[in-house]
Amino acid sequence: NLATGGAGLPVAQLRIVPRGQGAYALKLAMDAYSAGDASLALPQFEALWNGRGELDFAGSARLSGPFPGGRVEGLALPLQGRWSEAGGFAMYDACQTVRVERLRVSNFASGRQALTLCPDRGRSIVRSGPGGLQMAARLAGPTRLQGKLGSSDLALAAGAVRIDFPGSARLSDVDLLIGPAQSGTHITAGDFSVDLGGALGGTYADAEATIGAVPLVLTHGAGRWSFANAILDVQGDEWLLRDRQAPAGFQPLITDDMRLTLADGRIAVTGILDEPQTLRPVVRVAIAHDLASVTGHADLSVDALTFDDRLQPEMVSNIALGIIANTRGLVTGQGRIDWSSTGVTSSTGRFRTDSLDFAAAFGPVTGLAGEIVFTDLLGFETGPGQVVRLAQVNPGFAVYNGLIRYQILPGFKMRVEGGEWPFAGGRLLLDPGMVDLVSEEPRRLVFLVDRVDAAQFLAGFDFENINATGQFTGVIPIVFDKDGGHVRGGRLEVIGDGGTLAYVGELTYEDLGTMANFAFNALRSLRYRYLVVEMDGDLAGEVITKIRFDGLSQGEGASRNFLTRQVEKLPLQFNVTIAAPFLQLITSARSLYDTQYITDPGVLGLLPGQVNNPGPNSTTPAKPGIQPPESEDRP
């Protein structure tokens, strides 16, 4: 029987009892024994030496003190195991529960916790091996750990935990929440490993992360992490960023250079996000988040987003799907998102392009330039008075140097405040209206034609053999739906005293017959007092165009005789109905008098394999036209 105590010695009781045949039983109890700020207590410990080279022991220990990067208080550690000359050392043949009163790792602190370790693969949890001690264990049931990270609540859960030493600890279905459930940072990982026996670090895979109420989520993450000098460093080999809103404002983006650091209660994230199919950089991201105040911001930089054959706007944002296509050009800009514990407090952005070409439902657009300023970038909203300039728009007739004023409203709706183009001596105006950018509901735009000069209009289409005078005004309502664009109730009419319409060339065919030649020469120049053009139909299909002349008389250059002078006394009305594809209507009209303007490619020998196709390298001269258009001065 031994008892110890006094200055510098532990207070302990030791009893050794012989059991015969070389066997001994040992009982030990020791109060907390301190050295500096560390202490060790053995409330109970019993061991049995059987005299044949085998020792069995059981008991418990209680420890408090520092370890690298932290401190533990009240660690209750079971002691159960055996040692033998033949088999070496082994501990924990059955499940053991480890308890701790307080734990601190860097700026993380937790209160009372308990974990149950069980042997893995039918072996003792700890045993000696050729290279020293080995450990193989699993945590029984789901594991939960709660505490504080700085002043923020932290909750960690794991579905399964396996420990192999030397080697690593592997966790599955990890769920980490820092802060309140609604406004905190939430990180999950399907697989998570901790390297054992070296620097603290490991790998992760199938990870997902969100920051508070920010409607962005990083998902499908994989990479490595490390912890040193109180800094958590997470590097990503693969992450996917997507929009949590419905409908999403942008398509998912990927990054292979994401880096997250956690130090002093602050999270910092940087990375370049790429479009997944082309791997082309779209935006640089820099995120800063303070866990204590639950506030932060994200800076977004679009350096030079280029749209071409490989990358189109709908691959970045599905809002563009069905609105524009075949886009060419460069976009730059900056954005910023700020948040607090209550959610996003502001999200702004400013983006511009100096020249963007694309195809729209109403025709090709060339040279769109302007700047868009978002008052709510995540909500895709702007203030009023946004302006874009368009070098050219061609819905079948080209208009140049126009501008459109607009505002984007909540719910992905655009208020068109108006638009204007100089057109054929007059103006083409776009009426104010509302356009839903994501709904399949029909979108309606109304174009006003203001004082268009007939002569300038025809000159724009190179109608060399037709002269016209007069000014027109009217309205062209266009409806866009899932089937394309449609003219609904378009109407143009002449204003003022009317005008003239004259054919100044020769007929393509030399002889139409006596009466037809007589009628053509008599009516080749007309004066009208009233003219109305009405249009209905599909822009990409057939448009019904109705033309009505009233108050007809002969103009200059027409053949005059007794019959035509009598006809002029009659109240004539001239009605024409044209059913043709809208975008081919002007071409078809010119081809009536100029057969070279549109000709069957088979007639010209332009089809592959035709004998009379001279080919690109042939020196055979081209055949002359049937009859060139004549000038106005022809006698």
Side-chain angles (χ1 to χ4, degrees):
N1 294 312
L2 297 175
T4 64
L9 293 177
V11 177
Q13 299 286 335
L14 174 64
R15 178 180 176 84
I16 301 176
V17 180
R19 292 294 178 90
Q21 297 181 351
Y24 292 91
L26 179 147
K27 291 185 178 182
L28 173 65
M30 182 180 73
D31 292 346
Y33 179 52
S34 298
D37 61 351
S39 67
L40 167 65
L42 295 172
Q44 67 175 42
F45 182 80
E46 297 182 2
L48 177 63
W49 173 257
N50 64 7
R52 297 186 299 276
E54 295 178 347
L55 175 69
D56 292 303
F57 60 88
S60 63
R62 188 177 180 87
L63 303 95
S64 297
F67 60 85
R71 180 178 176 82
V72 65
E73 297 284 349
L75 172 61
L77 183 66
L79 300 174
Q80 179 275 318
R82 62 187 181 278
W83 177 86
S84 67
E85 295 176 351
F89 181 76
M91 289 184 68
Y92 308 129
D93 296 328
C95 294
Q96 305 289 330
T97 299
V98 179
R99 292 181 171 83
V100 64
E101 293 296 326
R102 287 185 298 276
L103 176 67
R104 179 179 61 80
V105 180
S106 186
N107 60 344
F108 166 74
S110 73
R112 183 175 298 174
Q113 307 287 337
L115 300 174
T116 300
L117 280 77
C118 295
D120 194 28
R121 297 185 292 271
R123 302 165 56 187
S124 300
I125 294 177
V126 179
R127 62 189 303 163
S128 59
L133 289 179
Q134 298 176 349
M135 182 178 181
R138 60 180 176 84
L139 294 183
T143 302
R144 289 180 173 81
L145 180 66
Q146 292 184 324
K148 290 275 190 180
L149 187 63
S151 59
S152 302
D153 293 330
L154 182 147
L156 173 66
V161 179
R162 296 186 181 276
I163 303 171
D164 288 290
F165 179 84
S168 63
R170 304 193 67 86
L171 295 78
S172 63
D173 300 327
V174 176
D175 192 311
L176 174 65
L177 176 63
I178 305 174
Q182 298 301 320
S183 60
T185 298
H186 192 194
I187 302 173
T188 63
D191 294 293
F192 187 84
S193 72
V194 182
D195 297 334
L196 301 176
L200 187 57
T203 63
Y204 64 91
D206 193 20
E208 184 171 294
T210 59
I211 298 178
V214 179
L216 306 175
V217 56
L218 281 164
T219 187
H220 298 297
R224 291 195 60 83
W225 67 275
S226 63
F227 185 81
N229 301 320
I231 299 175
L232 174 65
D233 190 348
V234 180
Q235 297 185 5
D237 299 327
E238 180 182 347
W239 278 91
L240 182 74
L241 179 72
R242 59 180 177 83
D243 192 349
R244 287 194 287 171
Q245 299 180 110
F250 62 89
Q251 299 282 46
L253 302 172
I254 63 171
T255 177
D256 60 1
D257 68 346
M258 190 277 293
R259 184 172 185 179
L260 179 150
T261 59
L262 171 59
D264 298 326
R266 294 180 175 86
I267 295 175
V269 182
T270 59
I272 298 177
L273 297 167
D274 305 327
E275 194 282 319
Q277 298 180 46
T278 62
L279 300 181
R280 183 171 295 176
V282 174
V283 59
R284 284 188 296 112
V285 178
I287 298 174
H289 181 72
D290 189 295
L291 294 172
S293 61
V294 199
T295 60
H297 67 270
D299 291 319
L300 313 174
S301 300
V302 176
D303 297 325
L305 180 57
T306 302
F307 295 113
D308 53 21
D309 291 336
R310 296 178 59 224
L311 180 64
Q312 287 294 294
E314 64 268 19
M315 299 167 67
V316 177
S317 174
N318 53 17
I319 296 173
L321 186 64
I323 298 177
I324 62 175
N326 299 329
T327 306
R328 303 287 186 276
L330 187 72
V331 175
T332 61
Q334 302 285 330
R336 182 181 172 101
I337 305 170
D338 292 272
W339 59 82
S340 68
S341 59
T342 59
V344 175
T345 57
S346 69
S347 64
T348 58
R350 184 183 295 267
F351 302 89
R352 70 169 295 107
T353 179
D354 294 326
S355 180
L356 203 66
D357 303 340
F358 57 88
F362 50 81
V365 175
T366 303
L368 181 145
E371 184 176 73
I372 181 170
V373 179
F374 288 98
T375 55
D376 184 352
L377 181 59
L378 292 175
F380 203 71
E381 299 174 26
T382 73
Q386 305 295 312
V387 176
V388 291
R389 299 186 179 276
L390 305 97
Q392 178 182 339
V393 180
N394 193 337
F397 48 88
V399 288
Y400 302 90
N401 302 321
L403 65 84
I404 296 177
R405 297 177 300 277
Y406 67 96
Q407 178 185 9
I408 300 179
L409 301 174
F412 301 102
K413 292 180 173 59
M414 182 172 70
R415 174 187 289 139
V416 178
E417 298 174 347
E420 181 175 345
W421 292 263
F423 180 52
R427 296 182 303 166
L428 183 66
L429 305 175
L430 177 59
D431 247 8
M434 191 73 69
V435 176
D436 194 319
L437 298 177
V438 294
S439 171
E440 292 187 359
E441 293 296 318
R443 306 160 186 163
R444 180 181 175 87
L445 296 176
V446 178
F447 292 90
L448 303 179
V449 177
D450 179 37
R451 297 183 178 277
V452 169
D453 182 77
Q456 293 189 40
F457 179 80
L458 293 177
F461 294 101
D462 197 21
F463 278 81
E464 299 174 0
N465 288 347
I466 295 180
N467 279 350
T469 63
Q471 284 189 328
F472 293 87
T473 188
V475 60
I476 305 177
I478 300 180
V479 178
F480 301 98
D481 58 24
K482 60 184 179 64
D483 297 320
H486 318 276
V487 180
R488 294 287 184 261
R491 179 183 175 90
L492 302 178
E493 59 183 288
V494 70
I495 59 176
D497 296 329
T500 62
L501 181 67
Y503 180 77
V504 297
E506 294 293 332
L507 284 176
T508 298
Y509 301 98
E510 295 181 358
D511 189 1
L512 297 176
T514 302
M515 293 305 297
N517 286 334
F518 172 80
F520 176 80
N521 287 313
L523 301 176
R524 66 184 298 164
S525 178
L526 297 174
R527 180 176 296 279
Y528 59 88
R529 291 191 301 273
Y530 184 69
L531 184 150
V532 173
V533 179
E534 296 177 344
M535 292 179 290
D536 277 283
D538 299 337
L539 293 181
E542 189 174 76
V543 171
I544 305 299
T545 304
K546 297 180 179 179
I547 304 174
R548 186 172 73 250
F549 293 89
D550 276 343
L552 292 176
S553 62
Q554 285 187 300
E556 296 181 5
S559 298
R560 297 179 181 273
N561 52 46
F562 171 78
L563 178 60
T564 59
R565 284 191 290 272
Q566 296 303 314
V567 169
E568 279 190 330
K569 299 177 182 180
L570 300 177
L572 294 179
Q573 186 180 90
F574 184 37
N575 296 310
V576 176
T577 298
I578 303 172
F582 180 72
L583 298 183
Q584 298 175 16
L585 184 58
I586 301 301
T587 300
S588 300
R590 182 176 174 183
S591 69
L592 293 175
Y593 67 85
D594 185 357
T595 57
Q596 291 189 96
Y597 189 65
I598 176 169
T599 308
D600 183 354
V603 174
L604 297 179
L606 298 178
L607 299 180
Q610 286 188 309
V611 177
N612 59 339
N613 184 351
N617 300 318
S618 174
T619 58
T620 304
K623 295 181 180 179
I626 297 176
Q627 179 173 323
E630 301 295 331
S631 70
E632 188 175 0
D633 299 329
R634 181 183 179 93

